[in-house]
Amino acid sequence: MSDLRALPSVDRLLADCGPLIQDYGRLAVTETLRAELAAIRANRPDPVPDAQAILINLVKTMAAQSRSRLRPVLNLTGTVLHTNLGRALLAEAAIEAAVAAMRAPAALEFDLETGGRGERDSHLRGLLCEMTGAEDATVVNNNASAVLIVLNTLAKGREAVVSRGELIEIGGAFRMPAIMEQAGCTLREVGTTNRTHAKDYRDAIGPQTGLLMKVHTSNYRIEGFTKEVLAPELAEIAHGAGLPMVNDLGSGTLVDLRRWGMSPEPTVAEAVAEGADVVTFSGDKLLGGPQAGFIVGKREMIAAINRNPLKRALRMDKIRIAATEATLRLYRDPDRLAERLPTLALLTRPEAEIRTQAQRLAPQVAAKLDCRARVTDCNSQIGSGALPTETIPSAGLALGPSPEKLADRLRALAIPILGRIHDGELILDLRCLTDDAALLDALNG
Ligand SMILES: *Cc1c(COP(=O)(O)O)cnc(C)c1O
């Protein structure tokens, strides 16, 4: 029978909490201590813990509570742009710019030449136009917001015509039909899942039509007996009817990835040159910057988007504007982009280098975890809906036995290590591990 009368009082325990109070403050320590005592009273353990046991536990709880809830992890999943792990890592220049914008006031909406009011997008407009060939550009919170505000501005109360083959679900609640509904326009599906013809679009156009839209099928491919109307022809059909053509590229990229031996993903400049009036794309996918949604295109349409009250609701903050500007600036020197932009550096890391790293680390990881570790071939993915059917040859460690238990152990570390289970082994793809010490240190935690 548990004797709760033996439980020390809060005041008695607090008297021994000097260093803890120094670190975390009296209020936080008192509240946590109260909660622990309440838990003991509720659970009635036998024997009741003494003061020392309670205090040892309190030290642990305070330390755990003070750790950020947003925990840093090691991404050894093999997916470089992992949406659930925060997508792109920022370049040093972008991190510095963000920090500077956080520390001191910045001329965000202030024109230093005239002393009058400035525009927050003006910091990015020039770079975006230079890199895409578009007349004008604006930015919002993310690409989902970009699509929302474009549809709402250009097709509210009217129909947006999209091929059935392009009614994409990105994940979560982002489904193209749902976004259309929220934007206040009606989805007009044309064609079939695998085949859509120019005539399908033409037949759908009427007084109710607001725009024609092309959506990059970023996370799937339809193969076999297929037909799609390519952007230049779709733009021609739209313009023939006096309508805008919008192209949602999803990831998009500002550079030709073939330069680094990768498969091509559509560039924004190509999409602009193909006649789209408005092109939307993400900041934190292949572009390698912070979360952002870019909208580039014809001057009058960008102006209309900027006048939409939703713009204020979806606008980007100064921290990300600073980081985005610094990221975009790196693209002015493509020769050094792969060194400076972590996303590109990781995607282009040579397989041989990763294999050597795996060979070096296998015995150390096996020893630290007391498990089997062998070097294995891996197929990394870009992730975030870019080149979904392509993989990049990589190497890693295959750990066993009991991969589920190993995965649990690695997730419980102070810096959790995330891999994936495949064929009875826990696979750690080392593509995103640029520093051996990061893994070995994490294993010590
Ligand atoms: C990823 C994606 C989006 C959404 O972009 P976020 O930046 O995640 O908001 C929209 N459309 C397409 C085609 C995409 O691939």
Side-chain angles (χ1 to χ4, degrees), residues 87 142-145 147 168 170 174 176 215-216 218 248-251 282-285 292 384-385:
R87 291 193 185 160
N142 60 4
N143 190 35
S145 342
V147 173
I168 181 167
I170 307 293
F174 189 89
M176 204 39 88
V215 185
H216 182 52
S218 46
D248 175 24
L249 283 185
S251 183
S282 277
D284 55 354
K285 293 185 179 174
S384 284

Side-chain angles (χ1 to χ4, degrees), residues 145-169:
S145 342
V147 173
L148 177 72
I149 195 171
V150 166
L151 291 171
N152 182 263
T153 307
L154 303 179
K156 189 176 173 193
R158 280 177 295 157
E159 288 181 358
V161 183
V162 188
S163 160
R164 283 210 166 83
E166 298 174 1
L167 291 175
I168 181 167
E169 172 179 314

Side-chain angles (χ1 to χ4, degrees), residues 91-361:
E92 277 312 312
I95 295 168
E96 280 166 25
V99 168
M102 287 190 269
R103 284 236 163 84
L108 180 63
E109 292 187 9
F110 187 88
D111 186 333
L112 291 169
E113 253 161 57
T114 63
R117 180 166 176 167
E119 263 188 78
R120 73 171 53 210
D121 291 346
S122 63
H123 310 283
L124 303 175
R125 185 180 287 129
L127 282 164
L128 282 168
C129 292
E130 174 186 325
M131 267 143 217
T132 63
E135 285 176 14
D136 204 353
T138 189
V139 280
V140 287
N141 179 57
N142 60 4
N143 190 35
S145 342
V147 173
L148 177 72
I149 195 171
V150 166
L151 291 171
N152 182 263
T153 307
L154 303 179
K156 189 176 173 193
R158 280 177 295 157
E159 288 181 358
V161 183
V162 188
S163 160
R164 283 210 166 83
E166 298 174 1
L167 291 175
I168 181 167
E169 172 179 314
I170 307 293
F174 189 89
R175 286 179 163 186
M176 204 39 88
I179 292 288
M180 297 228 167
E181 197 182 315
Q182 289 300 320
C185 58
T186 310
L187 167 65
R188 176 72 183 263
E189 302 173 36
V190 296
T192 59
T193 306
N194 57 329
R195 289 173 73 82
T196 304
H197 304 268
K199 184 172 180 306
D200 296 326
Y201 288 100
R202 284 207 193 89
D203 288 350
I205 295 175
Q208 73 292 348
T209 311
L211 55 81
L212 303 193
M213 183 166 191
K214 189 151 194 65
V215 185
H216 182 52
T217 56
S218 46
N219 52 11
Y220 63 99
R221 289 276 180 275
I222 296 179
E223 282 171 4
F225 185 54
T226 61
K227 166 88 177 87
E228 75 169 315
V229 177
L230 296 176
E233 191 180 1
L234 192 61
E236 218 177 277
I237 298 170
H239 298 159
L243 294 167
M245 195 283 254
V246 172
N247 193 346
D248 175 24
L249 283 185
S251 183
T253 167
L254 295 174
V255 281
D256 185 347
L257 296 172
R258 281 172 296 196
R259 188 189 168 124
W260 293 279
M262 293 166 64
S263 304
E265 176 82 354
T267 70
V268 182
E270 275 161 14
V272 169
E274 284 167 354
D277 299 277
V278 174
V279 179
T280 55
F281 56 104
S282 277
D284 55 354
K285 293 185 179 174
L286 275 173
L287 197 140
Q291 180 186 302
F294 299 107
I295 308 170
V296 303
K298 298 271 157 61
R299 193 168 288 116
E300 66 279 7
M301 301 207 188
I302 300 295
I305 290 163
N306 281 330
R307 286 193 303 268
N308 188 327
L310 270 180
K311 176 71 200 304
R312 174 62 187 256
L314 303 175
R315 76 182 182 185
M316 209 156 77
D317 62 282
K318 64 171 180 176
I319 303 168
R320 286 186 291 149
I321 288 178
T324 303
E325 187 193 4
T327 306
L328 290 174
R329 196 165 281 130
L330 297 178
Y331 280 86
R332 301 194 77 187
D333 183 4
D335 294 339
R336 280 191 282 178
L337 196 58
E339 279 164 49
R340 292 170 164 177
L341 197 70
T343 300
L344 197 56
L346 294 175
L347 289 172
T348 57
R349 253 188 102 196
E351 183 191 356
E353 178 191 309
I354 305 172
R355 186 172 305 282
T356 309
Q357 184 184 30
Q359 281 155 356
R360 200 165 56 226
L361 284 168

